[in-house]
Amino acid sequence: MIKTLGLSALIAASLLLTLGIWNYKPNYDETENVESNYTDEPLEAGQEETKKSIIEPSKIIFQTNGTFSSFENRNDQEAFYQEMQEWLLAGFDQGIQTDQELPDSDEYTAQLIFPLEVPAGAIRDLFSMEENTINQVQRGSFDRIYLNENNSGTVELVFYNTEARMSMHAEAQNAGAADVLDSYTDMDGKMDYIEYAESAGAPIYIPQGEPEINDLTFSVDTFTTITDLEPLLNNLFTDRDIMTSNRMEGGGKSYSDSIRELRAYESEKYMEYVNPLPENRTIEGSELVNQTINFLNAHRGWTNSANDEYQLYNMNVQRNEVTYRLVYNEYPVFGQNDKQATIQITWRNQPYKYDRPLFKLGEAFDYGEPPDLPSGEEIAGYLEDTKGSSSIKDIALGYKLIDEGISIRLMPAWFKQDTTGWSELDLSEMSGLGEE
């Protein structure tokens, strides 16, 4: 009888313990297991891109009898470039030529200016090429393309590197290439540009007159919740079962598998990801662009709208680092926190670092008046009079991104590029320019 009662008590205790385990809900306070449905769905409203759509010139300048102009309607610039990309290129027979002088203005009809040194290997992705010429574009880089109609009625292209003074020459084989160049050179609706030639390297081209681009305010679609981030988390973490999340001080969440970490800043609308991989070999520039584009395409990380896009804007091959910048209507966007305006990836066979915005521009609901900015002539005069302006590589009109919480404002401003990168021109140093 005693043994039976003891055995019954043990069985009852076992059943109670089992029920307790089944019904136990752990309390991790701010740390919790992150469940995953392992969906292959991409980022909402994201899309895929190619080198052709990502590598674009920031300016296209036409030269006629010593005067310079460009498109007033920025959509015409993109249309011209897309027609160029249909050309079949031949030549490159001489390969890279060194110690080349910058072409004189009477030696070309148009020039395409890129915001960085583009790897020469990208030429075969941007244009069609004859098979026997592909090996000629394996090395080198360019930041300008000069176009000119030669005596035979075909268009010659000079891919030029202003820093290294190297060039590669090719010829468009399309019968209509010269007609395309002529039609855009002679088209109406152009605006005049000032050539400022006292800068470092190649001349700078500044639009004449007062800027006429509006102050814009947009609604925003953010993707900062666990559901929104699901495609990124599945793409960046190999084992979601061991992942935990923590609420960060100041807002936002961090996700970690004890090795990798993704920090999503909700109020600031951007994220930072790090995967502490060991040092890796330097990757050739064209391959670095390929790898990062493929990575972003895997989760459709290009979250742009009809009038905005991301363009390749900077690359550091020594650090395996690539920056894609938000561009609105062909005008570059620079953020007060630039992580809101760029996708930046450091690559080591997989992403070592990955910083990006966590929002997409919605509808523009407020078109403010054009701000009172200095004219192009005033900017050129400022450069002429200012010590240190010789270090400036380029001047551009663009937008300053201002985060207003439930909306994003794009405010027109002048920006400069020097050896440290891009920054807004300090108008306070310009003897009252831009002030009412």
Side-chain angles (χ1 to χ4, degrees):
M1 180 68 68
I2 294 173
K3 289 181 180 180
T4 300
L5 291 173
L7 183 58
S8 299
L10 288 173
I11 292 172
S14 178
L15 288 172
L16 289 172
L17 182 60
T18 301
L19 287 171
I21 292 173
W22 286 349
N23 291 282
Y24 176 65
K25 294 181 179 179
N27 180 14
Y28 288 116
D29 295 326
E30 299 241 335
T31 304
E32 58 188 26
N33 287 328
V34 179
E35 297 181 359
S36 169
N37 56 14
Y38 292 95
T39 178
D40 289 328
E41 290 295 317
L43 284 175
E44 186 176 355
Q47 58 190 30
E48 296 183 14
E49 297 286 0
T50 65
K51 275 188 181 179
K52 241 179 191 180
S53 60
I54 292 299
I55 302 175
E56 296 187 21
S58 54
K59 295 176 186 173
I60 297 179
I61 302 294
F62 294 89
Q63 184 278 138
T64 306
N65 299 324
T67 63
F68 303 92
S69 63
S70 188
F71 300 107
E72 187 170 12
N73 184 341
R74 305 286 284 190
N75 291 329
D76 292 332
Q77 173 172 305
E78 187 168 9
F80 173 55
Y81 181 58
Q82 288 176 350
E83 288 202 53
M84 276 186 59
Q85 291 178 315
E86 300 300 318
W87 294 351
L88 173 65
L89 302 189
F92 296 104
D93 298 331
Q94 297 177 331
I96 297 175
Q97 300 180 54
T98 58
D99 295 325
Q100 297 296 296
E101 293 294 330
L102 197 73
D104 291 331
S105 60
D106 59 357
E107 296 177 357
Y108 62 87
T109 304
Q111 61 174 304
L112 285 70
I113 303 173
F114 292 81
L116 79 162
E117 292 185 7
V118 180
I123 295 174
R124 58 181 179 265
D125 298 299
L126 302 178
F127 302 92
S128 299
M129 296 182 62
E130 293 185 339
E131 286 295 329
N132 60 349
T133 64
I134 289 179
N135 289 334
Q136 300 296 331
V137 296
Q138 299 293 337
R139 299 181 300 108
S141 60
F142 63 93
D143 55 8
R144 302 200 178 201
I145 304 176
Y146 293 92
L147 308 177
N148 191 45
E149 186 177 346
N150 56 33
N151 294 331
S152 62
T154 58
V155 176
E156 181 186 16
L157 295 86
V158 178
F159 295 83
Y160 189 81
N161 185 312
T162 56
E163 185 76 24
R165 298 174 61 193
M166 298 188 303
S167 65
M168 292 177 288
H169 294 248
E171 194 173 89
Q173 297 297 290
N174 305 61
D179 293 334
V180 171
L181 179 57
D182 290 341
S183 66
Y184 279 95
T185 303
D186 298 334
M187 76 179 295
D188 296 329
K190 289 235 193 57
M191 61 185 303
D192 293 331
Y193 271 65
I194 302 165
E195 183 185 56
Y196 176 75
E198 300 301 322
S199 62
I204 292 172
Y205 296 92
I206 306 168
Q208 285 188 8
E210 296 182 359
E212 295 184 2
I213 55 176
N214 289 333
D215 199 326
L216 302 170
T217 302
F218 297 83
S219 62
V220 289
D221 301 319
T222 59
F223 37 101
T224 56
T225 68
I226 177 66
T227 302
D228 297 330
L229 292 172
E230 199 76 45
L232 278 169
L233 297 173
N234 287 339
N235 199 267
L236 295 170
F237 293 90
T238 56
D239 189 351
R240 291 286 304 278
D241 290 332
I242 63 173
M243 184 189 299
T244 59
S245 72
N246 291 277
R247 178 62 61 179
M248 295 189 299
E249 185 177 350
K253 267 192 173 183
S254 67
Y255 303 87
S256 176
D257 61 1
S258 76
I259 298 175
R260 306 163 186 83
E261 184 180 33
L262 186 153
R263 289 174 167 254
Y265 298 89
E266 292 176 353
S267 59
E268 292 88 352
K269 307 179 188 64
Y270 74 92
M271 58 156 269
E272 298 173 331
Y273 167 82
V274 63
N275 180 14
L277 296 164
E279 290 292 335
N280 193 25
R281 63 179 178 82
T282 299
I283 304 171
E284 186 270 329
S286 188
E287 181 60 22
L288 181 59
V289 176
N290 279 340
Q291 295 282 359
T292 52
I293 288 178
N294 291 339
F295 163 69
L296 287 164
N297 283 344
H299 55 275
R300 294 188 186 176
W302 309 100
T303 49
N304 42 278
S305 307
N307 293 320
D308 61 276
E309 60 184 340
Y310 285 94
Q311 292 180 7
L312 179 64
Y313 237 76
N314 192 36
M315 179 164 51
N316 188 316
V317 177
Q318 286 69 38
R319 295 205 301 258
N320 290 354
E321 185 178 274
V322 179
T323 300
Y324 299 98
R325 182 168 295 282
L326 184 65
V327 173
Y328 185 82
N329 274 346
E330 304 302 318
Y331 289 104
V333 178
F334 302 90
Q336 291 176 313
N337 179 346
D338 217 31
K339 291 182 180 180
Q340 294 179 322
T342 59
I343 297 174
Q344 189 173 82
I345 303 171
T346 305
W347 193 259
R348 294 181 182 173
N349 290 329
Q350 55 182 293
Y352 166 66
K353 289 183 179 179
Y354 176 28
D355 301 339
R356 61 159 302 131
L358 290 178
F359 69 89
K360 177 180 177 180
L361 292 178
E363 295 294 324
F365 60 86
D366 180 20
Y367 291 81
E369 291 296 321
D372 184 20
L373 290 175
S375 67
E377 291 85 349
E378 290 174 310
I379 295 293
Y382 164 76
L383 295 177
E384 191 75 36
D385 298 337
T386 303
K387 293 181 180 180
S389 63
S390 60
S391 64
I392 296 177
K393 297 180 178 181
D394 200 5
I395 294 287
L397 267 175
Y399 289 105
K400 178 167 62 175
L401 187 152
I402 302 173
D403 186 356
E404 297 183 331
I406 61 173
S407 62
I408 291 291
R409 180 183 175 191
L410 296 185
M411 188 172 70
W414 286 103
F415 296 88
K416 66 177 180 179
Q417 182 190 28
D418 56 24
T419 54
T420 63
W422 285 93
S423 60
E424 186 178 1
L425 269 177
D426 186 357
L427 301 185
S428 66
E429 298 178 356
M430 298 177 64
S431 301
L433 296 184
E435 296 178 4
E436 297 184 358

